[in-house]
Amino acid sequence: MKKQEINNLSVAELQAKLGELTNQYAELKHAHAISPIANPLQLRTVRRAIARVNTEISKKDLQ
C-alpha cells in the first residue's frame, strides 16, 4: 500500500487492514515454511505494509 492510500483511511479501517495484512503474512509464512513460495519478497512487502499501518494508527492516536 502507498502512503497516500494509508493516510486517507480512518482508524477503524486501518485496524481492519492491519488484521487482514497480519493474516496474509501468517499464511505466507506458513506456506513458505512448508515449501518455498514463488516470490519470497512478498514476505518483506507485507511485513513493511504492516509496519506502515501500525505507524499511521499510532500517529492518528496521538492527534
PDB file of all heavy atoms in Angstrom, residues 1 3 6 14 17-19 21-22 25 43-59:
ATOM      1  N   MET A   1       0.826  -1.180   0.000  1.00  0.00           N
ATOM      2  CA  MET A   1       0.000   0.000   0.000  1.00  0.00           C
ATOM      3  C   MET A   1       0.872   1.246   0.000  1.00  0.00           C
ATOM      4  O   MET A   1       1.900   1.281   0.649  1.00  0.00           O
ATOM      5  CB  MET A   1      -0.879   0.040   1.246  1.00  0.00           C
ATOM      6  CG  MET A   1      -1.963  -0.993   1.280  1.00  0.00           C
ATOM      7  SD  MET A   1      -3.049  -0.794   2.697  1.00  0.00           S
ATOM      8  CE  MET A   1      -3.867   0.723   2.250  1.00  0.00           C
ATOM      9  N   LYS A   3       1.680   5.229   0.821  1.00  0.00           N
ATOM     10  CA  LYS A   3       1.477   6.083   1.980  1.00  0.00           C
ATOM     11  C   LYS A   3       0.226   6.938   1.818  1.00  0.00           C
ATOM     12  O   LYS A   3      -0.520   7.146   2.772  1.00  0.00           O
ATOM     13  CB  LYS A   3       2.711   6.961   2.192  1.00  0.00           C
ATOM     14  CG  LYS A   3       2.655   7.816   3.431  1.00  0.00           C
ATOM     15  CD  LYS A   3       3.995   8.449   3.683  1.00  0.00           C
ATOM     16  CE  LYS A   3       4.018   9.412   4.814  1.00  0.00           C
ATOM     17  NZ  LYS A   3       3.226   9.134   5.960  1.00  0.00           N
ATOM     18  N   ILE A   6      -2.854   4.964   2.723  1.00  0.00           N
ATOM     19  CA  ILE A   6      -2.948   4.728   4.162  1.00  0.00           C
ATOM     20  C   ILE A   6      -3.409   5.998   4.886  1.00  0.00           C
ATOM     21  O   ILE A   6      -4.212   5.937   5.811  1.00  0.00           O
ATOM     22  CB  ILE A   6      -1.594   4.235   4.715  1.00  0.00           C
ATOM     23  CG1 ILE A   6      -1.280   2.848   4.142  1.00  0.00           C
ATOM     24  CG2 ILE A   6      -1.603   4.180   6.229  1.00  0.00           C
ATOM     25  CD1 ILE A   6       0.086   2.341   4.478  1.00  0.00           C
ATOM     26  N   LEU A  14      -8.097   1.290   9.281  1.00  0.00           N
ATOM     27  CA  LEU A  14      -6.700   0.884   9.467  1.00  0.00           C
ATOM     28  C   LEU A  14      -6.613  -0.380  10.317  1.00  0.00           C
ATOM     29  O   LEU A  14      -5.798  -1.268  10.035  1.00  0.00           O
ATOM     30  CB  LEU A  14      -5.890   2.013  10.108  1.00  0.00           C
ATOM     31  CG  LEU A  14      -5.557   3.195   9.201  1.00  0.00           C
ATOM     32  CD1 LEU A  14      -4.971   4.330  10.021  1.00  0.00           C
ATOM     33  CD2 LEU A  14      -4.606   2.786   8.096  1.00  0.00           C
ATOM     34  N   LYS A  17      -7.574  -3.246   8.126  1.00  0.00           N
ATOM     35  CA  LYS A  17      -6.496  -3.524   7.180  1.00  0.00           C
ATOM     36  C   LYS A  17      -5.336  -4.226   7.881  1.00  0.00           C
ATOM     37  O   LYS A  17      -4.720  -5.130   7.320  1.00  0.00           O
ATOM     38  CB  LYS A  17      -6.033  -2.221   6.538  1.00  0.00           C
ATOM     39  CG  LYS A  17      -5.107  -2.408   5.394  1.00  0.00           C
ATOM     40  CD  LYS A  17      -5.819  -3.067   4.235  1.00  0.00           C
ATOM     41  CE  LYS A  17      -4.930  -3.139   3.029  1.00  0.00           C
ATOM     42  NZ  LYS A  17      -5.520  -3.938   1.965  1.00  0.00           N
ATOM     43  N   LEU A  18      -5.062  -3.824   9.121  1.00  0.00           N
ATOM     44  CA  LEU A  18      -3.989  -4.447   9.894  1.00  0.00           C
ATOM     45  C   LEU A  18      -4.289  -5.927  10.138  1.00  0.00           C
ATOM     46  O   LEU A  18      -3.403  -6.772   9.974  1.00  0.00           O
ATOM     47  CB  LEU A  18      -3.792  -3.714  11.224  1.00  0.00           C
ATOM     48  CG  LEU A  18      -2.713  -4.259  12.146  1.00  0.00           C
ATOM     49  CD1 LEU A  18      -1.346  -4.145  11.480  1.00  0.00           C
ATOM     50  CD2 LEU A  18      -2.725  -3.496  13.449  1.00  0.00           C
ATOM     51  N   GLY A  19      -5.521  -6.239  10.509  1.00  0.00           N
ATOM     52  CA  GLY A  19      -5.900  -7.639  10.703  1.00  0.00           C
ATOM     53  C   GLY A  19      -5.786  -8.439   9.423  1.00  0.00           C
ATOM     54  O   GLY A  19      -5.299  -9.582   9.432  1.00  0.00           O
ATOM     55  N   LEU A  21      -3.796  -7.768   6.804  1.00  0.00           N
ATOM     56  CA  LEU A  21      -2.380  -7.931   6.465  1.00  0.00           C
ATOM     57  C   LEU A  21      -1.690  -8.935   7.384  1.00  0.00           C
ATOM     58  O   LEU A  21      -0.833  -9.706   6.942  1.00  0.00           O
ATOM     59  CB  LEU A  21      -1.669  -6.581   6.530  1.00  0.00           C
ATOM     60  CG  LEU A  21      -1.976  -5.606   5.404  1.00  0.00           C
ATOM     61  CD1 LEU A  21      -1.402  -4.228   5.726  1.00  0.00           C
ATOM     62  CD2 LEU A  21      -1.440  -6.116   4.085  1.00  0.00           C
ATOM     63  N   THR A  22      -2.056  -8.941   8.658  1.00  0.00           N
ATOM     64  CA  THR A  22      -1.461  -9.882   9.605  1.00  0.00           C
ATOM     65  C   THR A  22      -1.818 -11.316   9.225  1.00  0.00           C
ATOM     66  O   THR A  22      -0.953 -12.204   9.260  1.00  0.00           O
ATOM     67  CB  THR A  22      -1.936  -9.571  11.033  1.00  0.00           C
ATOM     68  OG1 THR A  22      -1.627  -8.208  11.334  1.00  0.00           O
ATOM     69  CG2 THR A  22      -1.258 -10.461  12.043  1.00  0.00           C
ATOM     70  N   TYR A  25       0.177 -12.258   6.148  1.00  0.00           N
ATOM     71  CA  TYR A  25       1.570 -12.540   6.487  1.00  0.00           C
ATOM     72  C   TYR A  25       1.712 -13.915   7.136  1.00  0.00           C
ATOM     73  O   TYR A  25       2.634 -14.668   6.806  1.00  0.00           O
ATOM     74  CB  TYR A  25       2.109 -11.451   7.419  1.00  0.00           C
ATOM     75  CG  TYR A  25       3.563 -11.627   7.766  1.00  0.00           C
ATOM     76  CD1 TYR A  25       4.551 -11.448   6.799  1.00  0.00           C
ATOM     77  CD2 TYR A  25       3.968 -11.977   9.045  1.00  0.00           C
ATOM     78  CE1 TYR A  25       5.884 -11.611   7.101  1.00  0.00           C
ATOM     79  CE2 TYR A  25       5.296 -12.138   9.363  1.00  0.00           C
ATOM     80  CZ  TYR A  25       6.255 -11.957   8.383  1.00  0.00           C
ATOM     81  OH  TYR A  25       7.585 -12.130   8.684  1.00  0.00           O
ATOM     82  N   LEU A  43       6.995 -11.629   1.475  1.00  0.00           N
ATOM     83  CA  LEU A  43       7.071 -11.584   2.938  1.00  0.00           C
ATOM     84  C   LEU A  43       7.515 -10.195   3.399  1.00  0.00           C
ATOM     85  O   LEU A  43       6.931  -9.619   4.313  1.00  0.00           O
ATOM     86  CB  LEU A  43       8.040 -12.647   3.463  1.00  0.00           C
ATOM     87  CG  LEU A  43       7.612 -14.097   3.287  1.00  0.00           C
ATOM     88  CD1 LEU A  43       8.763 -15.025   3.597  1.00  0.00           C
ATOM     89  CD2 LEU A  43       6.429 -14.398   4.167  1.00  0.00           C
ATOM     90  N   ARG A  44       8.538  -9.667   2.756  1.00  0.00           N
ATOM     91  CA  ARG A  44       9.067  -8.362   3.139  1.00  0.00           C
ATOM     92  C   ARG A  44       8.068  -7.252   2.859  1.00  0.00           C
ATOM     93  O   ARG A  44       7.869  -6.362   3.696  1.00  0.00           O
ATOM     94  CB  ARG A  44      10.372  -8.087   2.398  1.00  0.00           C
ATOM     95  CG  ARG A  44      10.978  -6.747   2.767  1.00  0.00           C
ATOM     96  CD  ARG A  44      12.342  -6.547   2.195  1.00  0.00           C
ATOM     97  NE  ARG A  44      12.310  -6.547   0.739  1.00  0.00           N
ATOM     98  CZ  ARG A  44      13.383  -6.538  -0.029  1.00  0.00           C
ATOM     99  NH1 ARG A  44      14.578  -6.564   0.503  1.00  0.00           N
ATOM    100  NH2 ARG A  44      13.269  -6.518  -1.322  1.00  0.00           N
ATOM    101  N   THR A  45       7.414  -7.297   1.710  1.00  0.00           N
ATOM    102  CA  THR A  45       6.477  -6.232   1.370  1.00  0.00           C
ATOM    103  C   THR A  45       5.271  -6.222   2.307  1.00  0.00           C
ATOM    104  O   THR A  45       4.808  -5.152   2.710  1.00  0.00           O
ATOM    105  CB  THR A  45       6.011  -6.326  -0.089  1.00  0.00           C
ATOM    106  OG1 THR A  45       5.435  -7.605  -0.316  1.00  0.00           O
ATOM    107  CG2 THR A  45       7.158  -6.108  -1.050  1.00  0.00           C
ATOM    108  N   VAL A  46       4.772  -7.393   2.676  1.00  0.00           N
ATOM    109  CA  VAL A  46       3.631  -7.462   3.588  1.00  0.00           C
ATOM    110  C   VAL A  46       4.058  -7.010   4.984  1.00  0.00           C
ATOM    111  O   VAL A  46       3.330  -6.273   5.651  1.00  0.00           O
ATOM    112  CB  VAL A  46       3.017  -8.877   3.613  1.00  0.00           C
ATOM    113  CG1 VAL A  46       1.961  -8.994   4.694  1.00  0.00           C
ATOM    114  CG2 VAL A  46       2.440  -9.229   2.262  1.00  0.00           C
ATOM    115  N   ARG A  47       5.245  -7.425   5.410  1.00  0.00           N
ATOM    116  CA  ARG A  47       5.739  -7.016   6.733  1.00  0.00           C
ATOM    117  C   ARG A  47       5.906  -5.494   6.801  1.00  0.00           C
ATOM    118  O   ARG A  47       5.548  -4.862   7.793  1.00  0.00           O
ATOM    119  CB  ARG A  47       7.067  -7.724   7.019  1.00  0.00           C
ATOM    120  CG  ARG A  47       7.541  -7.571   8.432  1.00  0.00           C
ATOM    121  CD  ARG A  47       8.760  -8.416   8.738  1.00  0.00           C
ATOM    122  NE  ARG A  47       9.893  -8.033   7.917  1.00  0.00           N
ATOM    123  CZ  ARG A  47      10.510  -8.856   7.053  1.00  0.00           C
ATOM    124  NH1 ARG A  47      10.107 -10.102   6.903  1.00  0.00           N
ATOM    125  NH2 ARG A  47      11.530  -8.440   6.340  1.00  0.00           N
ATOM    126  N   ARG A  48       6.389  -4.896   5.733  1.00  0.00           N
ATOM    127  CA  ARG A  48       6.555  -3.442   5.706  1.00  0.00           C
ATOM    128  C   ARG A  48       5.210  -2.725   5.647  1.00  0.00           C
ATOM    129  O   ARG A  48       5.050  -1.653   6.226  1.00  0.00           O
ATOM    130  CB  ARG A  48       7.430  -3.032   4.527  1.00  0.00           C
ATOM    131  CG  ARG A  48       8.879  -3.410   4.767  1.00  0.00           C
ATOM    132  CD  ARG A  48       9.762  -2.980   3.647  1.00  0.00           C
ATOM    133  NE  ARG A  48      11.148  -3.330   3.950  1.00  0.00           N
ATOM    134  CZ  ARG A  48      12.157  -3.111   3.144  1.00  0.00           C
ATOM    135  NH1 ARG A  48      11.961  -2.550   1.967  1.00  0.00           N
ATOM    136  NH2 ARG A  48      13.372  -3.461   3.491  1.00  0.00           N
ATOM    137  N   ALA A  49       4.244  -3.314   4.958  1.00  0.00           N
ATOM    138  CA  ALA A  49       2.900  -2.725   4.923  1.00  0.00           C
ATOM    139  C   ALA A  49       2.283  -2.741   6.318  1.00  0.00           C
ATOM    140  O   ALA A  49       1.624  -1.771   6.725  1.00  0.00           O
ATOM    141  CB  ALA A  49       2.021  -3.481   3.929  1.00  0.00           C
ATOM    142  N   ILE A  50       2.512  -3.825   7.060  1.00  0.00           N
ATOM    143  CA  ILE A  50       2.026  -3.910   8.438  1.00  0.00           C
ATOM    144  C   ILE A  50       2.652  -2.802   9.276  1.00  0.00           C
ATOM    145  O   ILE A  50       1.970  -2.127  10.057  1.00  0.00           O
ATOM    146  CB  ILE A  50       2.323  -5.302   9.038  1.00  0.00           C
ATOM    147  CG1 ILE A  50       1.452  -6.362   8.365  1.00  0.00           C
ATOM    148  CG2 ILE A  50       2.112  -5.308  10.549  1.00  0.00           C
ATOM    149  CD1 ILE A  50       1.832  -7.778   8.720  1.00  0.00           C
ATOM    150  N   ALA A  51       3.935  -2.576   9.101  1.00  0.00           N
ATOM    151  CA  ALA A  51       4.625  -1.532   9.855  1.00  0.00           C
ATOM    152  C   ALA A  51       4.080  -0.150   9.496  1.00  0.00           C
ATOM    153  O   ALA A  51       3.892   0.699  10.377  1.00  0.00           O
ATOM    154  CB  ALA A  51       6.122  -1.594   9.587  1.00  0.00           C
ATOM    155  N   ARG A  52       3.802   0.089   8.211  1.00  0.00           N
ATOM    156  CA  ARG A  52       3.249   1.378   7.797  1.00  0.00           C
ATOM    157  C   ARG A  52       1.884   1.623   8.424  1.00  0.00           C
ATOM    158  O   ARG A  52       1.586   2.719   8.894  1.00  0.00           O
ATOM    159  CB  ARG A  52       3.131   1.432   6.279  1.00  0.00           C
ATOM    160  CG  ARG A  52       4.427   1.653   5.577  1.00  0.00           C
ATOM    161  CD  ARG A  52       4.225   1.871   4.085  1.00  0.00           C
ATOM    162  NE  ARG A  52       5.506   1.890   3.426  1.00  0.00           N
ATOM    163  CZ  ARG A  52       6.025   0.872   2.753  1.00  0.00           C
ATOM    164  NH1 ARG A  52       5.329  -0.237   2.605  1.00  0.00           N
ATOM    165  NH2 ARG A  52       7.207   0.957   2.198  1.00  0.00           N
ATOM    166  N   VAL A  53       1.043   0.591   8.433  1.00  0.00           N
ATOM    167  CA  VAL A  53      -0.296   0.730   9.004  1.00  0.00           C
ATOM    168  C   VAL A  53      -0.199   0.967  10.512  1.00  0.00           C
ATOM    169  O   VAL A  53      -0.891   1.829  11.057  1.00  0.00           O
ATOM    170  CB  VAL A  53      -1.165  -0.507   8.674  1.00  0.00           C
ATOM    171  CG1 VAL A  53      -2.463  -0.488   9.453  1.00  0.00           C
ATOM    172  CG2 VAL A  53      -1.445  -0.568   7.178  1.00  0.00           C
ATOM    173  N   ASN A  54       0.676   0.225  11.186  1.00  0.00           N
ATOM    174  CA  ASN A  54       0.865   0.426  12.628  1.00  0.00           C
ATOM    175  C   ASN A  54       1.343   1.839  12.937  1.00  0.00           C
ATOM    176  O   ASN A  54       0.888   2.459  13.902  1.00  0.00           O
ATOM    177  CB  ASN A  54       1.876  -0.582  13.192  1.00  0.00           C
ATOM    178  CG  ASN A  54       1.242  -1.886  13.559  1.00  0.00           C
ATOM    179  OD1 ASN A  54       0.087  -1.928  13.956  1.00  0.00           O
ATOM    180  ND2 ASN A  54       2.002  -2.954  13.440  1.00  0.00           N
ATOM    181  N   THR A  55       2.245   2.358  12.128  1.00  0.00           N
ATOM    182  CA  THR A  55       2.755   3.709  12.324  1.00  0.00           C
ATOM    183  C   THR A  55       1.638   4.731  12.163  1.00  0.00           C
ATOM    184  O   THR A  55       1.518   5.669  12.958  1.00  0.00           O
ATOM    185  CB  THR A  55       3.891   3.998  11.331  1.00  0.00           C
ATOM    186  OG1 THR A  55       4.928   3.042  11.545  1.00  0.00           O
ATOM    187  CG2 THR A  55       4.434   5.401  11.504  1.00  0.00           C
ATOM    188  N   GLU A  56       0.816   4.561  11.148  1.00  0.00           N
ATOM    189  CA  GLU A  56      -0.276   5.502  10.905  1.00  0.00           C
ATOM    190  C   GLU A  56      -1.317   5.443  12.030  1.00  0.00           C
ATOM    191  O   GLU A  56      -1.844   6.476  12.439  1.00  0.00           O
ATOM    192  CB  GLU A  56      -0.924   5.209   9.557  1.00  0.00           C
ATOM    193  CG  GLU A  56      -1.888   6.268   9.111  1.00  0.00           C
ATOM    194  CD  GLU A  56      -1.237   7.620   8.874  1.00  0.00           C
ATOM    195  OE1 GLU A  56      -0.043   7.666   8.512  1.00  0.00           O
ATOM    196  OE2 GLU A  56      -1.925   8.634   9.069  1.00  0.00           O
ATOM    197  N   ILE A  57      -1.581   4.241  12.541  1.00  0.00           N
ATOM    198  CA  ILE A  57      -2.509   4.110  13.670  1.00  0.00           C
ATOM    199  C   ILE A  57      -1.961   4.856  14.882  1.00  0.00           C
ATOM    200  O   ILE A  57      -2.684   5.597  15.550  1.00  0.00           O
ATOM    201  CB  ILE A  57      -2.772   2.623  14.003  1.00  0.00           C
ATOM    202  CG1 ILE A  57      -3.605   1.972  12.899  1.00  0.00           C
ATOM    203  CG2 ILE A  57      -3.472   2.481  15.347  1.00  0.00           C
ATOM    204  CD1 ILE A  57      -3.726   0.470  13.023  1.00  0.00           C
ATOM    205  N   SER A  58      -0.690   4.679  15.163  1.00  0.00           N
ATOM    206  CA  SER A  58      -0.068   5.376  16.294  1.00  0.00           C
ATOM    207  C   SER A  58      -0.119   6.879  16.112  1.00  0.00           C
ATOM    208  O   SER A  58      -0.399   7.631  17.050  1.00  0.00           O
ATOM    209  CB  SER A  58       1.391   4.948  16.452  1.00  0.00           C
ATOM    210  OG  SER A  58       1.471   3.588  16.740  1.00  0.00           O
ATOM    211  N   LYS A  59       0.156   7.333  14.902  1.00  0.00           N
ATOM    212  CA  LYS A  59       0.152   8.760  14.606  1.00  0.00           C
ATOM    213  C   LYS A  59      -1.239   9.355  14.793  1.00  0.00           C
ATOM    214  O   LYS A  59      -1.395  10.432  15.363  1.00  0.00           O
ATOM    215  CB  LYS A  59       0.649   8.994  13.185  1.00  0.00           C
ATOM    216  CG  LYS A  59       0.975  10.426  12.875  1.00  0.00           C
ATOM    217  CD  LYS A  59       1.818  10.553  11.627  1.00  0.00           C
ATOM    218  CE  LYS A  59       0.986  10.341  10.380  1.00  0.00           C
ATOM    219  NZ  LYS A  59       1.714  10.663   9.147  1.00  0.00           N
TER     220      LYS A  59
END
